[in-house]
Amino acid sequence: MPELPEVESAKRSLQRVIRGKVIASVEVRSPSAVRTHRPQAFADALAGKRIERVSRRGKTLLFQLSGGWTLIFHFKLWGTLRFVRPAVPPDAQTAVVIAFSDGSSLHFRELQLSELGLHRTPQLDRVAYLASLGVDPLSPTFTPARFRQMLAGRGSIRALLTDQERIAGIGNLWAHEILHAARIRPDRPASSLTPAETRVLHRSIRSVLRRAIAAGGEPEFVDAAGRMGRWRLAVYGRAGQRCPRGDGTIKEARLGGRPSFYCPACQH
Ligand SMILES: [Zn+2]
């Protein structure tokens, strides 16, 4: 499931190539992918609009269009975006094709539960999913003090890191990579972290996410230019393998009904 580093990588790879392009036509090959409009109405509304800006909120991509509209792409379980030059026909996995006036196009592929929606830009704050999102962990407003306040509630630290209504963009994979970097076990009650651990974890959230973006995300992710993520996973999905610190073997457990990975030797 794409998380903040993958969606940010997709955003950056798209921003470079589609900003300023004008939409010539739209083909909706899988009507269920578009939640706000019927296929023809969706295509009619997008035709002639220019892509002014690509941005991200949490795990969501936003395409700001001329005329006061924003196209929202909400990655859910999976989904890939592919920017293609002329003469690349869509394949069976392609749900929506946006064709630009210069002959290039953007393919939305493998949209397993992903959603596309078209909304009035001034009314974005009324889109329920966006309105519910917590602070972006890379924004200046995600301060150590604000993070410390979030730890007061019940639940594990893993649950806190992946709660989109408190911190937007971190899912199960990156929560585990961050907790390994901070040497904290995922099942620790959030409220049990010491001030020193809290400072280290706050720093790890930002540094792991920034390095993950620079690496293009996790290894299975493919950006809009077709580049794979280059992050080497430390713990996620590596049960039974050696910890990168060389001090132990990665364990897998269940935590809140989801898989959890950690090194018992260096995470406490
Ligand atoms: Zn270790």
Side-chain angles (χ1 to χ4, degrees):
M1 178 190 287
E3 304 177 21
L4 188 153
E6 290 77 35
V7 181
E8 183 68 25
S9 297
K11 180 197 105 178
R12 292 181 185 190
S13 63
L14 283 169
Q15 178 90 341
R16 279 193 290 272
V17 290
I18 68 167
R19 197 167 167 187
K21 291 199 190 297
V22 174
I23 298 172
S25 65
V26 174
E27 183 190 358
V28 178
R29 298 158 61 89
S30 171
S32 64
V34 179
R35 302 302 166 100
T36 54
H37 293 66
R38 291 176 184 279
Q40 191 58 49
F42 183 71
D44 290 346
L46 286 173
K49 303 282 192 297
R50 182 184 306 107
I51 311 268
E52 293 187 332
R53 186 163 171 258
V54 186
S55 60
R56 177 190 59 78
R57 286 203 208 171
K59 306 177 192 175
T60 305
L61 265 184
L62 294 90
F63 301 85
Q64 198 177 308
L65 308 172
S66 59
W69 289 92
T70 295
L71 176 66
I72 299 180
F73 180 55
H74 186 189
F75 284 94
K76 289 201 164 172
L77 288 184
W78 194 238
T80 53
L81 292 175
R82 192 61 62 86
F83 175 74
V84 290
R85 304 285 175 189
V88 177
D91 63 13
Q93 295 294 321
T94 304
V96 175
V97 177
I98 294 182
F100 299 110
S101 57
D102 65 356
S104 61
S105 54
L106 182 61
H107 294 188
F108 293 80
R109 303 179 62 253
E110 302 172 280
L111 301 192
Q112 288 149 20
L113 303 180
S114 301
E115 292 180 15
L116 274 162
L118 186 60
H119 300 269
R120 288 268 180 207
T121 303
Q123 292 170 5
L124 283 184
D125 290 338
R126 289 196 222 154
V127 177
Y129 171 75
L130 295 180
S132 73
L133 289 177
V135 64
D136 191 287
L138 294 179
S139 102
T141 60
F142 181 63
T143 59
R146 187 161 176 188
F147 182 51
R148 206 158 45 238
Q149 286 170 2
M150 293 179 185
L151 298 173
R154 292 158 59 98
S156 69
I157 186 63
R158 197 288 311 268
L160 168 65
L161 293 182
T162 57
D163 179 353
Q164 302 305 300
E165 297 187 6
R166 286 192 281 181
I167 303 172
I170 301 172
N172 208 35
L173 185 150
W174 290 106
H176 285 92
E177 296 294 293
I178 289 165
L179 288 165
H180 179 265
R183 299 175 181 260
I184 294 168
R185 273 177 62 131
D187 57 354
R188 281 274 299 279
S191 59
S192 74
L193 267 60
T194 66
E197 286 175 323
T198 305
R199 278 194 299 277
V200 169
L201 181 54
H202 181 267
R203 269 203 304 275
S204 297
I205 290 170
R206 290 182 181 259
S207 70
V208 168
L209 292 175
R210 287 206 180 101
R211 285 184 287 125
I213 293 166
E218 54 104 345
E220 290 186 4
F221 183 73
V222 183
D223 75 9
R227 275 187 302 268
M228 310 276 297
R230 297 171 304 282
W231 179 270
R232 293 183 61 159
L233 294 167
V235 285
Y236 194 83
R238 296 191 67 240
Q241 299 180 46
R242 198 89 186 131
C243 170
R245 291 192 179 105
D247 54 3
T249 303
I250 308 301
K251 275 190 77 165
E252 177 170 4
R254 298 295 286 183
L255 180 60
R258 301 167 76 190
S260 182
F261 302 90
Y262 65 97
C263 170
C266 62
Q267 291 179 256
H268 301 287

